[in-house]
Amino acid sequence: NAGVTQTPKFQVLKTGQSMTLQCAQDMNHEYMSWYRQDPGMGLRLIHYSVGAGITDQGEVPNGYNVSRSTTEDFPLRLLSAAPSQTSVYFCASSYQGMSYNSPLHFGNGTRLTVT
Amino acid sequence: GENVEQHPSTLSVQEGDSAVIKCTYSDSASNYFPWYKQELGKGPQLIIDIRSNVGEKKDQRIAVTLNKTAKHFSLHITETQPEDSAVYFCAASIADMRFGAGTRLTVK
């Protein structure tokens, strides 16, 4: 059981480039989400999904896209990277949606630098 | 949306002492309050959680208390050890989970 797997671990982009952060879980969790972590600001929710084919915006969705074609995978796309998107990104999953009080399981993060 | 505030931002204690971290939340509909521990280079890991129908929960050296009327909850760590040194996050949840800014705990 690998849990939540994020790739890559580190990435450097130039302003304007696009990329996809990968997230996969093998726990058959319905709920998946993406957070960004910035110093002094904790974890802020970008997008989340309550099941395959369903996604919704979180607190800070601008500049990011997501899709959920399978239960296992929840990629995060940066369409045109900006320096303000320099951050550590965490993917998390949960057995059920947040309305069921299920704890989140986190991956080990992707550290992204945009120059 | 929900707003979670966490204090203090840094906390330094001597080994064997107790540590207390406090959080407040804004939405009275929040009903689930987990605490996460994050070690360097890793993702946050759940250490304890409490639901809104419970006032207190304990797991060995860790306890969490919840005051729904005042909308605040606290993490208590007793007999602290060097391996307790980490960043701790509180969170509150209804439709999605919102986190506090974190507390860096150092056990000397």
Side-chain angles (χ1 to χ4, degrees):
Chain A
N1 229 353
V4 179
T5 303
Q6 291 185 239
T7 55
K9 286 187 166 56
F10 302 94
Q11 183 70 49
V12 179
L13 288 179
K14 293 193 170 146
T15 297
Q17 286 185 316
S18 62
M19 81 158 295
T20 299
L21 280 63
Q22 302 292 344
C23 175
Q25 53 90 8
D26 61 359
M27 298 174 283
N28 202 30
H29 283 176
E30 288 295 321
Y31 181 91
M32 296 185 75
S33 55
W34 277 100
Y35 287 84
R36 60 176 288 172
Q37 183 176 30
D38 301 293
M41 302 190 75
L43 294 145
R44 290 183 294 168
L45 182 65
I46 304 171
H47 285 286
Y48 64 96
S49 168
V50 297
I54 306 168
T55 63
D56 208 345
Q57 295 182 350
E59 224 179 324
V60 288
N62 292 342
Y64 308 96
N65 273 359
V66 292
S67 59
R68 184 100 179 267
S69 55
T70 67
T71 300
E72 295 77 21
D73 300 299
F74 190 44
L76 179 72
R77 295 184 188 84
L78 281 71
L79 303 176
S80 178
S84 60
Q85 294 179 305
T86 293
S87 187
V88 181
Y89 291 84
F90 287 99
C91 179
S93 72
S94 177
Y95 179 62
Q96 291 176 307
M98 289 297 99
S99 57
Y100 295 97
N101 297 338
S102 300
L104 286 172
H105 300 258
F106 284 86
N108 281 328
T110 294
R111 184 175 293 275
L112 175 69
T113 302
V114 183
T115 60
Chain B
E2 174 66 276
N3 183 45
V4 179
E5 294 192 357
Q6 182 171 347
H7 300 280
S9 56
T10 61
L11 180 59
S12 183
V13 300
Q14 294 291 329
E15 183 177 353
D17 286 351
S18 295
V20 180
I21 302 170
K22 297 183 179 182
C23 290
T24 61
Y25 60 99
S26 61
D27 193 331
S28 56
S30 288
N31 55 11
Y32 176 59
F33 307 92
W35 286 88
Y36 288 84
K37 176 183 180 182
Q38 185 179 29
E39 295 175 339
L40 195 62
K42 296 195 172 179
Q45 279 199 302
L46 179 75
I47 54 171
I48 195 167
D49 57 10
I50 192 167
R51 288 164 174 76
S52 59
N53 58 346
V54 175
E56 185 173 355
K57 183 176 177 181
K58 191 173 180 181
D59 183 3
Q60 299 183 337
R61 296 187 296 109
I62 295 173
V64 57
T65 58
L66 171 65
N67 182 329
K68 283 170 52 181
T69 305
K71 290 189 282 187
H72 66 71
F73 55 115
S74 300
L75 178 72
H76 304 253
I77 305 174
T78 58
E79 301 171 18
T80 53
Q81 299 165 5
E83 51 265 39
D84 294 329
S85 295
V87 179
Y88 292 81
F89 292 97
C90 63
S93 173
I94 3 173
D96 58 52
M97 193 171 292
R98 300 295 175 98
F99 287 80
T103 297
R104 182 174 299 279
L105 173 64
T106 303
V107 180
K108 295 184 281 188

